Amino acid sequence: MLRAVRERDAYANLVLPALLRERGLSGRDAALATELAYGACRSLGLLDAVIAEGAGRSIEEIDGPLLDVLRLGVYQLLRTRIGAHAAVDTSVALARAEFGAGKAGFVNAVLRRAGEKTPEQWVEALAPADPVGRLAFEYAHPPWIAQAFADALGARAAELREVLAADDARPLVHLVARPGDITAEELALVTGGEEGRWSPYAVYLEGGDPGKLEPVREGMAAVQDEGSQLVALALTRAELDGPDNGRWLDLCAGPGGKAALLGALAAIDGFRVDAVEPAAHRAELVRKAVHDLPVDVHVADGRASGLTSGYDRILVDAPCTGLGALRRRPEARWRRTPADVRELVALQRELITAAWDLLRPGGVVVYSTCSPHLPETVSIVADAVRRLGAEQLDTRELLPGVTDVGDGPGAQLWPHRHGTDAMFLAALRKPR
């Protein structure tokens, strides 16, 4: 899996389940494989710094396949309870089988040097001196992402350690119970999970393969972070000026989780949802997610969808850096760069403008991102208010019972406070 991520820019969460099935791993073996694979992806920056120090050369000078073995070995030494002897022996044996005795000796030497210090001693030896850089190194985040989190926390930047620690931990699996088909209480009983804290449709699972659960196979439930559920619910709760005529739109629908929840809620009142997705393969995922719901899927660019205006409620869950969902995408933190932000911000601005043109007077747009990064969140919303004359609603009122989401009028969820992805959301109403 590490090789697929390194060589093909594959997504770990897509590659690993298929490999586990192919190799017939289950139970504790599958859990260990998942921990090693995801953990090594998450911890890449720290692992590479230790490997470079132990090897006496830069990472770029080490062959990629050999680097995969070293990363697995150092991860076991520094971030698991696996015994040092076992971690070194299995890594050396793997190197010998793949590359011969010479390379096995190199792996042995590097791992023995890595094992000479505790994780705390390695942080002390290699971490930058500045406080944010040090925390970023300790919790295996690029410094620019740690700084983005600190900026978003604002006056509560002292929580940065908690954010990074939560982001570096294995998250619970969140399920959504489809309204009208099954309740969260029933879903929790059937799956052995626990009802969620914030969304009336959320259930938490400790782990396992949710695809094997009967309610998921039957389409009565799906995997969806509780923060994403709250975004969809906020759209349905926003107060309109005038009646709700039942025309709802998800302008950035792929892969379909929020469209499915909106569709299930719309079905209760006899409403309909349009779902827009520009990529054909992702549009197909949306169709599968909403196959028996009152949702019409359109393969189109949200900036020029060709749809007729007059929508009551529009969700713009915009493409973003995804910095708020890094705990669920282990390799993503090392792929994103600050250069990605400018292009995404331009796209976000265009999408919110397109949504505004499709909205009826008195209707509401909910803008959301799975990123807390200020240029993608409050800056985009402030720009929309200024350019479009939007009336910004207090989004906190659309999240009843959810505490500590910021000073308003937008709302920011955090993994360390809410156990969700770091979703941002803001509600804008079009003056009549």
Side-chain angles (χ1 to χ4, degrees), residues 378-402:
V378 293
S379 296
I380 289 287
V381 174
D383 173 72
V385 169
R386 179 184 58 78
R387 283 189 302 112
L388 306 172
E391 175 193 354
Q392 189 165 2
L393 306 180
D394 190 339
T395 315
R396 297 171 298 176
E397 295 176 2
L398 310 181
L399 303 173
V402 186

Side-chain angles (χ1 to χ4, degrees), residues 144-278:
W144 78 273
I145 292 180
Q147 186 62 59
F149 287 172
D151 293 343
L153 287 164
R156 294 174 63 172
E159 294 178 17
L160 181 59
R161 179 183 290 275
E162 295 172 64
V163 177
L164 295 175
D167 215 31
D168 206 32
R170 181 173 63 89
L172 295 173
V173 174
H174 290 185
L175 298 180
V176 59
R178 180 184 282 186
D181 283 349
I182 192 171
T183 66
E185 181 182 15
E186 291 165 343
L187 182 60
L189 285 170
V190 170
T191 59
E194 177 189 347
E195 288 183 67
R197 282 192 293 168
W198 315 115
S199 163
Y201 307 111
V203 169
Y204 308 151
L205 295 181
E206 282 292 334
D209 182 355
K212 292 180 178 176
L213 298 171
E214 187 176 349
V216 175
R217 290 202 315 270
E218 298 282 329
M220 294 187 292
V223 176
Q224 185 178 45
D225 184 80
E226 191 173 18
S228 295
Q229 298 175 40
L230 292 174
V231 168
L233 288 169
L235 180 69
T236 68
R237 292 166 176 164
E239 187 177 345
L240 306 177
D241 186 351
D244 193 335
N245 302 303
R247 279 194 76 201
W248 298 357
L249 171 62
D250 183 350
L251 197 61
C252 310
K258 296 181 186 70
L261 181 51
L262 288 173
L265 292 167
I268 294 169
D269 291 317
F271 295 167
R272 289 201 75 82
V273 180
D274 284 301
V276 172
E277 167 55 46

